Amino acid sequence: MENLLRPLIVVGGSVMLTLVIGWATDFLLRKADERHHETPLWGLLRRGRIPYMLVLFAALLRGSYDEADLLPSRADGVGRTLTLVLIGSAAWLVIRIAAAIVETSYSRYASARAHRDPARVRRVRTQVTLIMRVVSAIVGVVAVATMLLTFPAFRAAGASLLASAGILGIVAGVAAQSTLSNMFAGFQIAFGDMVRIGDTVVVDGEWGTVEEITLTYLTVHTWDERRITMPVSYFTSKPFENWSRGTPQMTGIVFWHLDHSAPVAAMREKLRDILRECPAWDGRAYNLSVTDSTPSTIQVRALVTAKDADDIWTVRVAVREQMIGWLADEHPYALPRVNTADAILPPSRHGNGNGNGNGHRPSQDGVPAQQRRYHGNHSSGRPDR
């Protein structure tokens, strides 16, 4: 009877004590979270209650296992298993506590600077994310190494492993050259302020927002809901556009190719009217000017401003669409077209080149230039544009 009662008391007592301590700790954290709304620390610490209870249960059972006299023939295996569970759950708990502290620090910083310096907030967010990944990796490696040291065979092989660490390090460095370069590039991006989570970038002709940054890769969320995953070393070795660098304010360009007779002055007034009705325009500046010309068209450029990349896209689309519609309705002659009129020859160097003395410029078909300015049907009297 004693052989059956003792294991039940030890195991059952460990479970009950774990539940009581875990419930009491969670109750205190919940009360602290209700009293201190200014910080999310206590609420975040509650996320670690599962690894916390695992640590308690493994520690209590490991300390009292010898008294339980349960499975004496398997005592070494059960004891080592409990030790491994204790190490793993302790590492899990450390990661949760570190994440709660770091997230609390970031939340306080972000709430204080969100309106004044959003770019700085995104930079800190990128650094916090990568720091947590590094901390998790270090804690995980230490936990695995500690677990391996619990086995006598691995402790005996420790000396030979240390002796060959130099050679293994060289081989691993050559074999994992690409991976290591990406890891170092990840640290460079995190602390060099090159690109941050939430930045609007143009990479390989693709426009999107940086959604995730890890030590080895970076994910860009494009405007059409695609995800582009790229190695972080790309951003340290090749040029790319970062539209969120510095201030998020942007200047956009809209081009039109129009006829030489386009009413540029009226277009400036129309551009002003369009922008006044566009909520995405930030009101900083606008301009319209002729920037180029060809034998058949002129190039008209409009400059508009907006507070960020999303709004500048909206402004450009609205200006382009409404200006073309206005030209088509009010000034259709300003739209580009194919000119089919005959060329007008230059005047003769000797006065009347054809010897008729009438003062009209000659033409290839003998028709004066004044008559050739009219198109096809002379009875219409409509000039050929």
Side-chain angles (χ1 to χ4, degrees):
M1 186 67 179
E2 182 180 358
N3 294 334
L4 180 61
L5 186 60
R6 181 180 295 179
L8 290 177
I9 293 175
V10 172
V11 176
S14 299
V15 172
M16 292 300 297
L17 192 57
T18 298
L19 293 176
V20 171
I21 297 177
W23 177 85
T25 304
D26 186 68
F27 177 78
L28 295 176
L29 291 176
R30 186 168 63 251
K31 289 297 183 181
D33 187 38
E34 293 175 356
R35 292 181 180 180
H36 302 280
H37 297 286
E38 71 280 0
T39 175
L41 175 62
W42 310 110
L44 292 174
L45 286 176
R46 293 186 62 199
R47 298 179 181 177
R49 56 183 178 271
I50 294 178
Y52 175 69
M53 295 178 70
L54 281 176
V55 169
L56 288 175
F57 178 73
L60 291 172
L61 193 59
R62 183 68 180 87
S64 59
Y65 177 74
D66 294 336
E67 300 295 333
D69 196 20
L70 180 64
L71 300 176
S73 60
R74 307 272 183 177
D76 292 338
V78 174
R80 183 172 291 113
T81 301
L82 292 174
T83 302
L84 295 177
V85 173
L86 179 61
I87 295 173
S89 57
W92 187 7
L93 180 60
V94 169
I95 293 175
R96 286 295 178 88
I97 294 175
I101 296 174
V102 172
E103 187 69 24
T104 301
S105 302
Y106 168 75
S107 299
R108 291 179 176 178
Y109 181 87
S111 61
R113 290 179 173 262
H115 300 288
R116 291 182 296 173
D117 193 358
R120 176 67 179 174
V121 173
R122 292 198 304 271
R123 177 185 179 184
V124 173
R125 182 60 181 175
T126 302
Q127 294 175 352
V128 165
T129 302
L130 292 181
I131 288 174
M132 279 307 306
R133 293 181 185 275
V134 172
V135 170
S136 300
I138 293 175
V139 173
V141 170
V142 172
V144 172
T146 305
M147 290 179 180
L148 293 177
L149 290 177
T150 60
F151 296 91
F154 283 97
R155 288 199 300 267
S160 60
L161 288 176
L162 291 175
S164 60
I167 298 176
L168 291 176
I170 296 175
V171 174
V174 174
Q177 183 177 3
S178 177
T179 302
L180 292 176
S181 65
N182 279 328
M183 292 182 64
F184 285 115
F187 284 110
Q188 185 176 352
I189 286 177
F191 298 99
D193 198 22
M194 300 175 59
V195 61
R196 300 153 297 201
I197 295 176
D199 281 1
T200 302
V201 297
V202 178
V203 182
D204 280 346
E206 297 287 349
W207 181 90
T209 304
V210 177
E211 187 177 53
E212 183 182 10
I213 299 178
T214 69
L215 289 177
T216 56
Y217 67 89
L218 184 148
T219 302
V220 177
H221 185 194
T222 62
W223 63 272
D224 55 354
E225 303 298 329
R226 290 180 292 120
R227 267 76 175 179
I228 301 177
T229 301
M230 308 184 70
V232 292
S233 59
Y234 175 92
F235 293 86
T236 58
S237 60
K238 296 182 180 181
F240 65 95
E241 297 182 29
N242 189 341
W243 290 10
S244 302
R245 182 79 174 182
T247 60
Q249 297 174 343
M250 297 194 66
T251 299
I253 301 175
V254 182
F255 285 107
W256 298 278
H257 293 276
L258 305 173
D259 188 78
H260 291 83
S261 59
V264 178
M267 290 180 65
R268 290 192 182 98
E269 297 180 359
K270 183 60 179 178
L271 175 62
R272 178 195 59 196
D273 297 338
I274 293 174
L275 293 176
R276 287 177 176 176
E277 300 296 328
C278 183
W281 182 53
D282 62 358
R284 286 190 296 125
Y286 73 94
N287 186 24
L288 188 142
S289 56
V290 179
T291 57
D292 198 2
S293 64
T294 67
S296 58
T297 61
I298 59 173
Q299 179 178 269
V300 181
R301 183 193 67 184
L303 297 180
V304 294
T305 60
K307 64 180 179 64
D308 54 31
D310 292 335
D311 282 354
I312 199 64
W313 173 264
T314 303
V315 175
R316 292 174 60 195
V317 169
V319 168
R320 184 183 296 111
E321 178 182 351
Q322 296 184 37
M323 186 67 75
I324 291 178
W326 176 75
L327 289 174
D329 294 337
E330 303 293 335
H331 304 278
Y333 60 88
L335 299 177
R337 62 193 182 278
V338 178
N339 192 352
T340 59
D342 296 332
I344 300 178
L345 299 180
S348 173
R349 295 182 179 179
H350 302 289
N352 53 350
N354 58 354
N356 54 13
N358 56 9
H360 294 299
R361 287 176 294 181
S363 65
Q364 296 176 353
D365 55 359
V367 180
Q370 290 85 344
Q371 296 182 12
R372 287 187 294 103
R373 294 178 185 174
Y374 297 91
H375 179 72
N377 185 4
H378 297 280
S379 61
S380 63
R382 185 179 60 185
D384 178 23
R385 292 193 297 270

